[in-house]
Structures are given as C-alpha cells and as structure tokens.
Amino acid sequence: MKQQTSTEIRQMFLDFFQSKGHTIEPSVSLVPVNDPTLLWINSGVATLKKYFDGSVVPENPRITNAQKSIRTNDIENVGKTARHHTMFEMLGNFSIGDYFRNEAIEWAYELLTSPEWYDFPKEKLYMTYYPADTDTFNRWVELGVDASHLIPIEDNFWEIGAGPSGPDTEIFFDRGVDFDPENIGLRLLAEDIENDRYVEIWNIVLSQFNADPSVPRSEYKELPHKNIDTGMGLERMVSIIQNAHTNFETDLFLPIIREVERVSGKEYDPYNPENNMSFKVIADHVRALSFAIGDGALPGNEGRGYVLRRLLRRAVMHGKRLGIQEVFLSKLVSIVAEIMVSYYPEVKENQDFIAQQIEREEVSFHRTIDAGSKMFEGLLSEMKEKKIDTVLGKDIFTLYDTYGFPFELTEELAEDAGFKVDHAGFNAEMKKRVELSRSFAKKGGSMGSQSELLTSIKESSTFDYEHTELDGVLLSLIDGENLLETVDHGVVQGIFDQTPFYAEMGGQVADHGVIENEVGEVVAKVVDTQKAPNGQPLHTLEVLSTMTNGSIYHLRVDANRRNKVMKNHTATHLLHAALHNQLGKHATQAGSLNETTFLRFDFTHFEQVSAAELQRIENEVNAQIWAQIPIETVETDIDTAKEMGAMALFGEKYGREVRVVTIGDYSVELCGGTHVKNTSEIGLFKIVKEEGIGSGTRRILAVTSEEAYLAYRESEDALKKIAQSVKAPVLGDAPSKIDNLQEQLRQLQKENEKLATKLSNLQAGDVFENVKESNGIRFIASSVQVKDMGQLRGLADQWKQKQLSNVLVLATEVDGKVNLIVAMDPLAIERGFKAGNMIKEIAPLVGGGGGGRPDMAQAGGKNPSGIPAALEKVEEILK
C-alpha cells in the first residue's frame, strides 16, 4: 500500500477516473443552489440530481468529483467514534446512462488494488451485495475475488421514495484482529455489528429501477437509462492509507488537534476516549464551521444557522472541558484553510471573514454560558428546597439545547453538587430532536422519475437573443410520454428548431407570447418555457387551432413583458455590485427572481441592512442608471470570462461556453439572461422592502421604471395626507410639525405620569395603614388601582423603604387582566417564607402563574374575580 497525503489520495481518485473518460466536476457550495428540498449538500450525488432524474442531460455521461458534504443527524456521535464527522469529503464516480455494473466494479477493484494506483492488499478487501443481485456476485468472482470475501446483506438496496433505485455493493477494508478484540470476524459484517475492524470505504449503487412505493420491489420497472452512483469517504481512505488509529490521526485533522493541544496545555491521546473526545469534537466542528460559513451560511436560530450555532457551542463547551476559557475557535480557521487549500482555496480566500463570524458568535456564546450557569444554579437551589435529588431530563435538555451545555458537563456539575441526572428523560428529548433533524435530512432524497421521451429528444434548438419574433419549424409535439403528429386543442409541449422565447433560468422568468400560422392566425398561446433535458427550450402551449409537426410557425414574444423583465434583471446586476461596495464582498447572491413588476434579490449578510445603508445602495444603483452606461454581452470560454473579472455564482455549474454581461467598469457577471442595451432604459430603481429570510440570508424587494415611479407617487400621496392632518402648509413643513406634536405628546405623558404617581401615593397611604398579623408575621394584602406592574413595583419600593410590615401582597386589575406582586423582608424569609413560593400558590386563583426571588415575585392572571380569594389566601399561608 502506497503512503500518500490526503491531497495525493484525493487527486489519485480523480486522475484515475479522468483516465477512464470521466469529466471532473468541481466541488460545489455546501449551501444548495436552486434545491429547497435539501438543508445541506450531503453527498456527491446530491449535486447531480438533475442528471439522474433525466431533467438535464450532461455533456459527458461520465462524471467524477470530490464533494464537500455535511450531515448533521448524528452530531452526538462525533468525537465518540473513530469515523463520525459533520463535514466530510465524498469521492465519487458516476455514469448517467453510460457504463454499468461490469465497468463500475472492475474499475473500483483496479483503483484499489493496482500497483499503479492505491495498491491495497487484495486479501484485505471484503464486499457485501444484495442477495438477489447474482450479477454483482458473479462480477466480483470474475475479477478474482474469493467467494468467502463476498457477504450477502438484505439491506444492500438503495431506495428513497419514488425514483431511481437499485442494489448496491459495499467494499470494506479489514484492519485486522487488533481492531477485533473478541475475534468475532466476518460476523461483524454479516450481522451488521458496529465495529472498527471492517471499515467501509466505498459504496457502489447500481441504479437500475424506477422505485414505485405502490408495488413490491420485485415489480419495479427498469430505468430507461441505468446509472452508476458511487461514494468513497476520503477521511476513511486517508486513515487506512496513513495507518491511523482513527480518522482524526491523519493530516486532515492532526494540525488542528496539535494547535488545540498548545492552547489548552493538554496532550491528545488517541487511545484514551475520555481524553480525546473534546479534541475530536473541536477539530471536526471547526472544519464544518469554516467551510459552511465560507459558503455563505451563518449561525442563527433556524435551519442551517441553527446547525452551525449548535456545532460552535458544542465545540466551545468541549474547549472548556480542556480548560480553554478564552475565545479560541476563530484562531483555528487559518489552520483549516492551510490543510485544505490545494483543493478548496475558497476557505483561505474567505479566511478573515470566516474567522470574524466565528469570533462574533463565540463571544456571544460566552455570555450565554454565564446565563446558563445561573439558570443551572437556580435549578439546583430550587431542587434542594423541594428535596428533589434528580435533575429532570427536560431541564438537562434545555441546558443542552438553549445554552449549549453538553449532557456530560451537566452530569458532572450535578454530581459534584450531590444530584443524580435523568438519563432516560434526556434521551427521550434527544430522540425528538434527532427525529426532527432526520426529517430535514430525508427531504429531497428522492430524485423523481426519468422521462424517457424528453431524454431521447436530441434535435438541436437555438434561442435567439436578438429578436422577439421569428419563424421556426415545429420539431416535436409532446403530450406526456407521447409524440404527436398533430393537435387541435389542449395543453401540450413543443420544441422548435429556433425560438425567441427565453426558457426560465438564472432567476429570470420565462417569456410568454403567441404562435401564429402562415396567415397570421394565433394557433397557440405560450404560457411557459423551460429547459428540456438536452437543453432545448421546451414551450408549454395552450393550443387554440390545429398545429402539425414539421410545419413552420411564427413565434412572437410579448415584447412589452420581456422589456419589463429585462429592466429588472439588469437592475439585479447593479444591485449586486452595490451590495458588494456598501456591505462587503461577502454579500453575494443567494437567489433571485426577475419578474415583470418587481425584482427579488437574496444575499448573504449577517445582520439587518440599516436604513442608511439601504439609502446608499439605492442611490448608487440610480447613479449607474442615470450615467447611461452601455451594456455589452459577449460569449467566451469560462477561463477567459474569469480573466475578464466576471463574477461567477459559487455553486452554479457553467458550461464550456458562457455569456459575460458587462456594465461599464461597474459590473461584470456570468449570465445567460436577457438585458437592456443601456442602463438608462431602467429609468428608476427603488427598494421597497428588506427582510431576513433565514439565518445569514437577507432579501431585498425592489421595483424599477414605471413601478418605481408609482411607488414614489404612492409615498408622496401618503406624505401629503400626513401634511394635511398636521396642518402643514407645504410638504416640507410636515417633519417640523410632527416633531412639535411629538414634543407636546411627551410633555402630556410626563404630566400624566406625575398625576398617576400622586394617585398611587394617595392609595399607598390607605393601603399601608391596613396592616394585619398572622403567626407573628405582620402583613399587608390589598387590591389597588394602578395602571401597570411598574406602579405596583413602585408601591413595593415605598413599602420596603418604610418597613411597614414583613410581607406585602398587592393586586391590580388592568383591562380585564390581573397583576400580582409579593414582597418579603428578611424576617419573613428567616421564618421560612419566600415570595416566589407564595406567588405560585396565589396566582392560580386569578388564572395565572409567576415566580421570582425569595424577596420579590410577580405574576399575571386572566381572572380578576379571583383577586379577593388570592388576597385571603395570604393569611392562610402565613398560618
């Protein structure tokens, strides 16, 4: 077996399959592009779904890639096992309707065992297969694999819902009896027993059926085009080749671990799980954080953001277990960047921004930890009072989920204080969380069924950028999976040899229009245009009169509609550049929609865009519009486009030939859409809304041209109405008039506060005189008329200063709701009474609940009729 670095192992895989005619696809962003069904890119095949379901036909049916991926349904296992990771690399080779079982298995065996390649000992390899798949068994035997190394496994069938499915064969490496202390041997594989001896390094999925959940598996129909989908975990391969005890003692992780050793002053021991878990968690999680943030995801409270926040908090808490009290994760980003720079230069390019975001979140979490510690201390204090000896699972989970306390830390702190912990209750709460996480992970697994007809249509069709009407030959009339020769009504799809209709793509909506015959009669309306699997514009036609395959028709786009969309599309390019200039280079496109009456632009940013920033962005875009800049579009190859400085959207795939849209020296982007000839055609640009749509992602809605004018007109009309209502003679006087009115209102509010305070003080005199005694405790329990809880607290402060009794209980009704406050002096507390306990007893009588400290507590309720009973209860409690 050759000794290689991780970089060499990755490159050897790609080189091998390139030598077999595969195209190397670059790794795409971890944040899915145009795929709302996935939270993260979680495998190599996830980026190729459109090829496997037949919606797009690739230029080369043989593809290979090294794809960064994230899976988070087993976060809790990271650090506990030898091979669990959140972010990992999946090496894969794929065939889209080209080669199948024989070549896939042969090449896998060649790459692993050939002295020219990885040179694995053949006797160390074992393969599993689906029992009914005798073809796979026979193929391995043909290649010289002994039958004793082939293990049938019933679960070796890949299937997620409807769509492509099929048997799979897995390749395992035997690490020997050192990793099998009980010498169980092949039963570990046959019975699927968790073990470290047989390490799965490669899975080959033979995608040959269209799964149909309504019928037995034996009745699945074969795919029109059989596919190969394989996955090899880079981290596992590196650990085997570098003879590491686990994945973490490899060149992918050790540099990070060494720095954590330096910062913590602790030594990493790969053979001591109690010692090494925290090192593993930190090394794994900081890799995932660095890559995900570099791809535009940011920590937050939902979706991807919630995952990142959990990872960061878990890493910080494990840092604390190693004795690291200061901010440290952000300092590890440069090490991650250096390890991965050869294949993932984007991490190093974005290193400063990534570190800044991690540090920002880390500092914030340190404040949260303090709050969690106080919550835990309060919980233990309350348990002592109630003589409870076990911390409930739901409370442990709250500490874990809200404050980031790992279970082990809570357990340790509880035991130090003499308490037990509810393992079963915590596990039940965790199960709920895991099921929720897995529900995210399962979304989008199914790829949808292939359309054999659309995939088989190869005739070329050209989109004409320069014209909005032209003549075209109808090449194909399609109704579902049927080709038609003629049609006279209904909704069908059509492909022409050339078309002026833009197929929806890149955020630009499809063109609409009509199809006319040779005498100018409208024979169909075009209500949608999408890309067919082989790239042709596929028109959805509402047929009004007879259409015949092979005939020539006049295709006419709704030019006014197209013009509106073009203005909005060009404006998004200007907006993108303005966001870069005003917010920073990290503010990159995360989605867009260019409609007829508005544009929508999603971008990555870590906070709300301020009103001042929005004003500057809007001003900058309008300045470019009024500068009357010509817009140039050229077609060139991707490398030349990048040399021109064209901005490519990270995660998007581009062909060999691309279109570059240049707006003077202000904006250069790769774009296949349609645009105006000069920025002046846009006329006017106005931002109408800015909002957050997810963690780390913001959205701007804007309008241009006529819609922008109407938006300004609407605002002006509203301002005129305001001016009239404040009696401003001219519009410009309205702000000062409003300022004067606001000042008058503030003065009136102050006067009102003074009067309310006087009234409260008058009531206090009456209330404080009504002192009763019970069991040696002097108390006041009374109903008062004040405006809110704030004034109740004010009365409690007066009571405290005057030392009028040992206990004070006040109630007030405001707008049909009840406010209660309880206060106690040191003597009452010394006698065993606590404000928090008393409020919990009396609040239910007014239909509410509350809590607080021993000396002060408050509550709210919905039943004012219960106030007398609540006040009477006070004396009963004191007895």
Side-chain angles (χ1 to χ4, degrees):
M1 189 186 303
K2 295 179 179 178
Q3 290 305 302
Q4 296 174 295
T5 66
S6 57
T7 298
E8 291 168 337
I9 294 166
R10 182 194 299 112
Q11 195 58 49
M12 180 170 281
F13 183 95
L14 298 174
D15 289 346
F16 175 83
F17 282 104
Q18 190 174 44
S19 75
K20 303 296 185 185
H22 291 62
T23 296
I24 299 175
E25 288 262 4
S27 183
V28 305
S29 170
L30 287 165
V31 178
V33 175
N34 298 324
D35 188 351
T37 67
L38 286 176
L39 195 64
W40 301 101
I41 292 298
N42 56 15
S43 64
V45 74
T47 67
L48 309 175
K49 283 165 63 174
K50 60 185 179 183
Y51 300 144
F52 278 88
D53 66 17
S55 58
V56 175
V57 175
E59 292 182 11
N60 182 356
R62 299 183 180 189
I63 297 169
T64 186
N65 67 9
Q67 175 60 46
K68 54 190 172 183
S69 306
I70 282 183
R71 293 180 188 171
T72 58
N73 50 333
D74 289 318
I75 287 176
E76 297 315 307
N77 284 324
V78 174
K80 295 179 181 177
T81 70
R83 290 174 296 279
H84 268 95
H85 300 292
T86 48
M87 200 285 289
F88 59 94
E89 284 186 75
M90 191 65 81
L91 309 178
N93 61 290
F94 309 92
S95 168
I96 318 298
D98 186 44
Y99 64 84
F100 195 52
R101 176 183 284 104
N102 286 351
E103 296 88 344
I105 292 175
E106 178 184 344
W107 291 341
Y109 200 53
E110 179 186 353
L111 174 58
L112 289 174
T113 62
S114 168
E116 182 184 352
W117 301 101
Y118 290 132
D119 197 18
F120 276 26
K122 294 179 180 179
E123 68 275 10
K124 288 286 188 180
L125 298 178
Y126 289 81
M127 296 79 175
T128 62
Y129 66 96
Y130 185 55
D133 183 14
T134 55
D135 291 340
T136 291
F137 176 90
N138 292 334
R139 185 57 179 152
W140 282 119
V141 171
E142 288 170 6
L143 293 170
V145 177
D146 191 277
S148 65
H149 282 235
L150 298 170
I151 297 94
I153 301 288
E154 192 64 39
D155 285 343
N156 274 39
F157 196 95
W158 187 88
E159 176 180 12
I160 306 180
S165 66
D168 62 273
T169 179
E170 299 168 321
I171 304 173
F172 292 79
F173 183 85
D174 180 6
R175 304 201 75 182
V177 293
D178 288 348
F179 293 85
D180 182 10
E182 298 178 30
N183 200 20
I184 297 173
L186 281 178
R187 265 201 315 117
L188 295 170
L189 275 183
E191 298 177 17
D192 194 24
I193 300 171
E194 183 70 30
N195 72 94
D196 291 326
R197 175 172 179 172
Y198 298 98
V199 179
E200 181 191 341
I201 54 176
W202 208 340
N203 187 17
I204 301 170
V205 178
L206 308 161
S207 185
Q208 65 184 100
F209 301 108
N210 249 333
D212 181 353
S214 67
V215 300
R217 187 177 286 169
S218 59
E219 296 180 20
Y220 288 175
K221 294 180 180 178
E222 295 229 344
L223 291 171
H225 302 286
K226 296 180 177 64
N227 305 316
I228 290 293
D229 156 24
T230 84
M232 171 191 282
L234 175 67
E235 291 78 11
R236 296 182 180 208
M237 277 292 287
V238 175
S239 71
I240 290 169
I241 290 173
Q242 295 183 1
N243 195 28
H245 184 67
T246 73
N247 291 3
F248 292 91
E249 293 83 47
T250 66
D251 62 4
L252 289 169
F253 294 95
L254 266 181
I256 307 170
I257 290 172
R258 295 292 178 239
E259 178 61 15
V260 177
E261 282 183 317
R262 189 191 69 77
V263 174
S264 67
K266 304 280 173 54
E267 188 175 344
Y268 175 74
D269 180 357
Y271 302 98
N272 181 357
E274 291 185 9
N275 160 281
N276 64 39
M277 180 178 175
S278 293
F279 286 97
K280 291 176 178 177
V281 168
I282 293 166
D284 173 272
H285 289 5
V286 78
R287 280 206 335 159
L289 287 163
S290 298
F291 273 82
I293 293 173
D295 284 353
L298 292 171
N301 291 324
E302 58 187 23
R304 283 183 282 272
Y306 175 76
V307 171
L308 296 186
R309 182 159 283 169
R310 271 191 71 194
L311 292 179
L312 185 140
R313 292 182 171 189
R314 189 166 186 252
V316 169
M317 294 305 292
H318 276 279
K320 286 187 172 294
R321 294 181 71 178
L322 293 174
I324 305 173
Q325 300 302 327
E326 71 272 17
V327 170
F328 75 101
L329 280 179
S330 56
K331 299 169 186 174
L332 301 177
V333 174
S334 60
I335 299 172
V336 175
E338 202 57 48
I339 294 170
M340 310 303 285
V341 68
S342 64
Y343 200 72
Y344 300 100
E346 63 270 13
V347 179
K348 196 167 187 66
E349 291 166 3
N350 297 320
Q351 178 180 315
D352 292 343
F353 174 73
I354 295 167
Q356 176 192 11
Q357 296 310 309
I358 290 178
E359 181 176 7
R360 179 193 187 106
E361 183 71 15
E362 206 174 347
V363 169
S364 172
F365 181 46
H366 275 279
R367 292 193 292 269
T368 306
I369 292 172
D370 293 339
S373 298
K374 289 176 183 175
M375 180 266 194
F376 189 52
E377 289 166 8
L379 178 65
L380 295 184
S381 175
E382 186 175 336
M383 288 169 59
K384 283 178 183 175
E385 291 174 21
K386 295 181 178 179
K387 296 184 170 46
I388 298 172
D389 66 352
T390 303
V391 184
L392 294 178
K394 65 181 181 65
D395 293 322
I396 302 169
F397 185 77
T398 297
L399 284 163
Y400 165 82
D401 197 47
T402 303
Y403 298 102
F405 279 44
F407 174 83
E408 299 82 3
L409 178 65
T410 303
E411 182 178 39
E412 183 181 327
L413 293 173
E415 289 176 351
D416 287 347
F419 292 91
K420 294 179 288 187
V421 292
D422 176 14
H423 284 260
F426 175 75
N427 290 337
E429 296 293 332
M430 276 299 299
K431 186 178 179 182
K432 294 176 189 174
R433 171 64 68 191
V434 169
E435 287 171 355
L436 181 62
S437 298
R438 284 181 174 156
S439 72
F440 280 123
K442 288 176 184 175
K443 286 184 179 180
S446 176
M447 295 183 186
S449 300
Q450 295 178 350
S451 168
E452 183 174 4
L453 177 59
L454 287 176
T455 303
S456 68
I457 297 175
K458 307 285 188 177
E459 295 101 329
S460 64
S461 174
T462 306
F463 169 65
D464 189 320
Y465 277 94
E466 300 303 320
H467 301 94
T468 55
E469 53 182 292
L470 51 75
D471 291 337
V473 178
L474 180 57
L475 301 177
S476 301
L477 263 177
I478 304 150
D479 183 10
E481 288 294 306
N482 301 308
L483 278 175
L484 308 176
E485 281 302 314
T486 185
V487 64
D488 58 12
H489 70 281
V491 178
V492 298
Q493 294 173 305
I495 296 175
F496 298 82
D497 69 331
Q498 60 175 351
T499 180
F501 284 88
Y502 181 81
E504 182 173 351
M505 186 175 60
Q508 180 174 328
V509 296
D511 281 332
H512 291 186
V514 296
I515 308 293
E516 299 170 345
N517 60 19
E518 69 278 5
V519 296
E521 176 192 6
V522 175
V523 295
K525 294 179 182 178
V526 179
V527 295
D528 191 21
T529 311
Q530 300 291 329
K531 282 287 187 75
N534 286 295
Q536 309 101 322
L538 183 66
H539 309 72
T540 299
L541 308 172
E542 286 185 0
V543 179
L544 305 175
S545 186
T546 302
M547 296 185 72
T548 306
N549 210 30
S551 298
I552 297 175
Y553 292 95
H554 189 70
L555 288 68
R556 181 155 53 85
V557 170
D558 182 338
N560 183 54
R561 185 178 186 279
R562 160 80 75 83
N563 193 42
K564 285 175 173 286
V565 174
M566 288 197 304
K567 290 175 180 179
N568 286 330
H569 196 162
T570 304
T572 62
H573 285 226
L574 297 176
L575 174 59
H576 198 183
L579 288 168
H580 270 196
N581 294 339
Q582 296 297 332
L583 303 182
K585 297 298 181 186
H586 67 275
T588 54
Q589 182 173 336
S592 69
L593 177 63
N594 301 297
E595 263 285 2
T596 54
T597 57
F598 69 93
L599 66 91
R600 188 182 75 206
F601 192 81
D602 301 339
F603 58 98
T604 54
H605 191 50
F606 45 83
E607 61 188 358
Q608 181 179 359
V609 184
S610 70
E613 288 170 329
L614 288 173
Q615 185 66 63
R616 290 198 297 271
I617 292 164
E618 190 177 281
N619 290 345
E620 186 171 318
V621 171
N622 278 313
Q624 307 310 312
I625 292 171
W626 301 330
Q628 302 179 41
I629 304 170
I631 293 160
E632 298 177 2
T633 303
V634 297
E635 292 189 2
T636 184
D637 61 89
I638 185 70
D639 292 330
T640 302
K642 289 180 178 178
E643 287 173 9
M644 294 169 63
M647 188 191 308
L649 298 184
F650 192 66
E652 285 280 20
K653 294 181 186 293
Y654 297 96
R656 285 192 295 268
E657 295 295 313
V658 294
R659 285 172 63 83
V660 181
V661 177
T662 303
I663 306 175
D665 57 3
Y666 185 70
S667 168
V668 185
E669 287 197 35
L670 297 179
C671 180
T674 60
H675 291 271
V676 297
K677 301 293 185 186
N678 190 290
T679 58
S680 62
E681 295 176 40
I682 300 171
L684 190 61
F685 172 85
K686 178 173 173 54
I687 295 172
V688 295
K689 189 176 185 181
E690 190 273 345
E691 61 185 346
I693 59 167
S695 179
T697 307
R698 309 296 301 179
R699 169 172 289 171
I700 283 179
L701 294 175
V703 287
T704 63
S705 192
E706 180 184 356
E707 282 71 24
Y709 166 76
L710 292 173
Y712 275 112
R713 185 61 182 269
E714 186 179 331
S715 298
E716 184 182 7
D717 289 344
L719 286 171
K720 285 179 178 177
K721 288 181 180 178
I722 292 170
Q724 288 175 352
S725 66
V726 298
K727 298 179 181 178
V730 294
L731 198 58
D733 292 342
S736 61
K737 282 278 189 180
I738 291 170
D739 287 342
N740 290 336
L741 287 171
Q742 286 179 326
E743 180 59 31
Q744 290 174 32
L745 180 60
R746 279 193 291 270
Q747 293 302 322
L748 289 171
Q749 286 172 335
K750 284 181 181 179
E751 288 296 321
N752 190 39
E753 287 289 338
K754 287 178 183 178
L755 291 171
T757 302
K758 285 181 181 179
L759 182 61
S760 176
N761 289 337
L762 287 172
Q763 284 198 65
D766 295 335
V767 169
F768 293 160
E769 289 176 3
N770 188 19
V771 180
K772 299 178 183 178
E773 186 172 332
S774 176
N775 198 21
I777 297 291
R778 301 173 70 245
F779 71 95
I780 298 170
S782 183
S783 175
V784 295
Q785 291 301 313
V786 293
K787 71 169 188 173
D788 55 24
M789 180 62 79
Q791 289 197 349
L792 273 186
R793 285 193 293 267
L795 288 174
D797 289 340
Q798 290 184 46
W799 167 86
K800 186 176 181 180
Q801 291 169 6
K802 295 179 180 180
Q803 299 180 351
L804 297 168
S805 66
N806 307 117
V807 176
L808 173 71
V809 180
L810 297 177
T812 188
E813 177 189 349
V814 180
D815 297 329
K817 295 183 179 179
V818 180
N819 285 326
L820 287 173
I821 193 162
V822 176
M824 294 195 179
D825 74 355
L827 176 62
I829 295 172
E830 189 179 315
R831 291 279 299 273
F833 299 106
K834 293 185 179 178
N837 293 344
M838 181 176 283
I839 204 87
K840 288 177 182 176
E841 290 195 56
I842 66 174
L845 297 173
V846 295
R853 306 186 308 271
D855 64 329
M856 179 77 75
Q858 60 189 51
K862 300 176 182 177
N863 179 23
S865 64
I867 289 177
L871 296 175
E872 288 172 10
K873 183 77 172 175
V874 174
E875 185 170 2
E876 181 184 326
I877 293 169
L878 293 174
K879 286 180 180 178

